[in-house]
Every structure is written in structure tokens, then in C-alpha cells.
Amino acid sequence: MRDIDTMKQYSLEEISEIVGGILTKVEDVKISRIGPPLIADENTLALAMNEDEIENLSKTKARAALVPIGVTSELISTIEAERPRLAMMKLLHLFYIPPESTVGIHPTATVHPTAKIGENVSIGANVVISRNVSVGKNTKILPNVYVGRSAQIGENCLFHPGCNIGDNVIIGNKVVLQHGVSVGADGFSFVTENPNNVENARKEGDVKEDNTDQKIYKIPSVGSVVIGDDVEIGANTCIDKGTIENTVIGEQTKIDNLVQIGHNCKIGKGCMIVSQVGIAGSCIIGDRVVIAGQVGMADHIEIGSDSIVMAKAGITRSFPEKTILIGAPAMPRKEFLKHMKTMKKAEDLVNKFKDYEHLLKD
């Protein structure tokens, strides 16, 4: 953390105005950071956004706190916010330290002469920009990033170290790629000379053939990836290019770390996809869909807009919009709860039967 003398300090009035809160002032305080009540000092705005942290205000050294509407304290100044988490986001932008980058091209970077580089672009050490690439103004490409030929990168993007962007990828404005993201690698697409075990199982319901001599041939990917504006993609996430059509990520969608999105997928606008989700090829996800951690989706599935897929669900078929999915195989939440109640009743019946089983034997 930066030394307090080098950090900008804010008055409570300034902070209250920034977050649109209600200030109840006990004394003047200059705020230079934010943090939980138990580790806050006199220059920290304590974040008391839930019941536990509100209780901890009695033990804090902070002289001011951000709290939900209706919470006040006689001992310290409070800023009440209708949506404390939204207020916290605004404050974090005040104190966030962006990655270091210098406008211009680092001496160790390799930029093809045919590349078009916009104004105020930063290209870091060991970056490779291939032929016919275009990079929009104010974009920051940090060290060790590779950009394939004919890729198009928009304005005000931020690519963290170690990203790999394939040929012909199109990336919109204000896109953030975290460390180690792969966009535009070949899709996992193969074919065999004769029907393989998976094809037979889908058709017949079981595996009968002996495919010991079966050869597997790679299907190359000639499509690419198109990413809309204001998308963020987490560390070590992989988005494969399409086999023929492009894989598409809609604007404002946010993707967590360690997510796999297969070839030909179409992800809608404003989606939230959490860590360790695996989406097989040719899936279509509607707008504003939330997919929780460790969800697995089979190929060629459609999930309608405004749906919620709960953690560890296994999606084996398509579902309409506004569906809450749970379980493996996944089903609508109401149906899942109905099944659970039925199983509980069945368990009770079995236990009752055991009580009278000896009478039946007699």
C-alpha cells in the first residue's frame, strides 16, 4: 500500500457526495483508504455492510464508516448508502492503483510494420503485435502479450501480462483481459471415420462396438472470436474460436477465472459466468444469464435470457428464459424441490415399513 503522505485524502462530505449517501457527521475526518472495521485506523473508512461488521464498529479505531440505510452511531461519523456494495465499488475506484504502463512501444516489443497503432497506446515489454493488427487509442497492452495477425482491438482496453489473442479476433472497446487469458485458440473438434462410442451411445443408449482401430481426425477452426464492448475476462480463461462461424461474447458480460467456452458458442449481453464453468461447443446463452461456479454444459444447448444456473449444475438439455436451474442432471428449481420432498416422503415410508416388517414376516 502507498504511504499515506503520497495518497489523496478525501473529506467525509466528498465521499458522501461520490456515493450519494447520507452523512451523519460526528467530527472532521480525512479518509485515505477503506477497509473492514477491525483493521481500520483513524484514516480508514470502515466498511460495515452487514450485521457482523456493524457489530464490529464498537471495536474499531476508525472514526467514520459506510453503513446501510438506517444504521447510525453516536461514536463515529456514518455515511448511509442504499446499496452499500455499489457505494464500495465507487470508493474502490478512488483508491485503485492501476497497473504501471508507459505510452509508447517498449524497445523489446515486436510490432509488425503493417500494424495500425492508435494514439496514446501502451505496448509493454516482449509484446508481439502481428501483421495487419489494429489497436485503438488509449489501449494498454502489458508485457508478454501475443496478438495474432489481423486481430482488431478497440479503444481503452487493458490486457494484463501473458494474454494470447489469436488470428482475426475482434475485441471491442473497454475490454479487460486478466493474466493468462487465451482468446481464439482452436476449438476441441474432432471426427472419426466410423461412428464412435459417443455417437453410438446417443443413438442406441449403450456402447456395443469395438473401436480399438478407430482413428481420430482433427477438424480445424476457420472461424474466430468476437468480443463486445465492456467485457471482462478472468485469469486463465480460454475462449475457443468457431469452427466456421465466430464464437461471440456479448457486451458487458463478465467472465471469471478458469472458465472454458467452447467453439461456436454465443454468449449474450450482461451475463455473469463464475469460475470453473465449462461450456461445450455450439451453446447459446441468452442475455443477463448468471452461471455459478463449476457448472458443466453439454454441447448444442440453449439457455434463455435472465436465467440463473446454480453451482455445480450439470446441464444436459435446453431451458427457456427466466429458469432457475439446479442439480445434475439440472432441472428447474421448483421441480428439484418437489423431487427432494418426494424423496423425503419415500424415506419416511421406508422407515415406517421397517417398523412393521416383522409383522409381515410373521
Side-chain angles (χ1 to χ4, degrees):
M1 183 176 289
R2 291 173 294 183
D3 187 274
I4 190 170
D5 293 333
T6 66
M7 297 177 68
K8 183 171 175 56
Q9 295 185 321
Y10 298 87
S11 69
L12 294 178
E13 287 81 4
E14 288 176 312
I15 289 179
S16 182
E17 184 176 352
I18 288 167
V19 303
I22 302 170
L23 173 61
T24 302
K25 188 174 177 181
V26 174
E27 59 179 324
D28 283 327
V29 183
K30 292 295 184 181
I31 300 299
S32 56
R33 62 178 69 89
I34 58 178
L38 291 182
I39 64 171
D41 60 20
E42 293 183 350
N43 295 107
T44 301
L45 180 70
L47 301 179
M49 300 189 296
N50 56 51
E51 292 184 4
D52 290 340
E53 299 294 10
I54 291 169
E55 290 182 7
N56 288 335
L57 288 178
S58 62
K59 309 169 189 175
T60 189
K61 295 178 181 178
R63 295 154 62 193
L66 176 71
V67 296
I69 290 286
V71 176
T72 58
S73 172
E74 296 180 357
L75 301 176
I76 63 175
S77 301
T78 55
I79 298 174
E80 299 172 57
E82 185 173 356
R83 286 179 60 80
R85 186 172 174 82
L86 182 64
M88 180 187 71
M89 177 274 295
K90 295 177 181 179
L91 293 176
L92 284 170
H93 278 288
L94 290 180
F95 301 110
Y96 174 70
I97 305 173
E100 289 187 5
S101 62
T102 303
V103 172
I105 301 172
H106 193 275
T108 62
T110 301
V111 179
H112 196 277
T114 60
K116 297 179 181 178
I117 309 299
E119 298 177 357
N120 300 317
V121 167
S122 301
I123 297 179
N126 302 317
V127 169
V128 175
I129 305 291
S130 303
R131 61 184 170 89
N132 297 324
V133 168
S134 64
V135 181
K137 64 183 181 181
N138 303 319
T139 284
K140 298 178 180 179
I141 302 178
L142 301 185
N144 301 312
V145 171
Y146 172 83
V147 182
R149 68 179 184 273
S150 300
Q152 300 176 40
I153 298 167
E155 301 175 359
N156 298 295
C157 294
L158 173 60
F159 298 167
H160 286 268
C163 294
N164 289 284
I165 299 163
D167 297 345
N168 304 305
V169 168
I170 299 174
I171 295 177
N173 302 319
K174 297 191 295 183
V175 172
V176 176
L177 304 182
Q178 297 290 347
H179 302 70
V181 165
S182 171
V183 177
D186 270 357
F188 188 76
S189 191
F190 299 86
V191 68
T192 55
E193 290 181 348
N194 302 305
N196 60 29
N197 287 339
V198 173
E199 293 173 275
N200 290 329
R202 284 177 173 172
K203 185 177 180 180
E204 306 293 339
D206 55 14
V207 178
K208 297 178 180 178
E209 302 295 328
D210 180 2
N211 289 320
T212 54
D213 297 327
Q214 191 77 278
K215 292 188 68 175
I216 301 173
Y217 299 96
K218 179 179 176 61
I219 299 176
S221 300
V222 298
S224 192
V225 179
V226 177
I227 297 176
D229 294 345
D230 198 19
V231 168
E232 179 158 350
I233 300 173
N236 296 317
T237 282
C238 299
I239 301 175
D240 291 344
K241 60 184 179 180
T243 307
I244 299 173
E245 299 181 4
N246 292 330
T247 301
V248 177
I249 309 296
E251 63 186 44
Q252 279 246 311
T253 283
K254 314 300 180 186
I255 302 173
D256 198 0
N257 304 337
L258 298 170
V259 171
Q260 164 65 31
I261 297 176
H263 57 278
N264 307 331
C265 285
K266 305 289 188 290
I267 310 296
K269 301 176 182 178
C271 294
M272 300 278 288
I273 302 177
V274 185
S275 180
Q276 298 183 33
V277 167
I279 302 177
S282 301
C283 288
I284 299 176
I285 310 295
D287 298 335
R288 299 172 301 280
V289 173
V290 177
I291 304 178
Q294 296 188 335
V295 167
M297 292 181 59
D299 57 349
H300 295 84
I301 284 174
E302 295 188 26
I303 302 294
S305 296
D306 299 298
S307 294
I308 299 172
V309 184
M310 300 180 73
K312 296 189 176 183
I315 313 295
T316 58
R317 60 187 175 92
S318 298
F319 292 92
E321 64 180 19
K322 298 180 181 178
T323 305
I324 301 176
L325 297 171
I326 184 173
M331 62 186 72
R333 182 171 177 271
K334 290 181 180 179
E335 185 179 338
F336 179 84
L337 294 175
K338 182 179 178 181
H339 283 200
M340 295 300 292
K341 289 179 181 178
T342 300
M343 290 176 64
K344 182 65 171 66
K345 289 178 181 178
E347 182 184 2
D348 293 341
L349 286 173
V350 169
N351 290 333
K352 287 181 180 179
F353 173 78
K354 288 180 179 179
D355 291 338
Y356 295 99
E357 186 177 11
H358 65 283
L359 297 177
L360 292 174
K361 288 181 179 180
D362 291 345

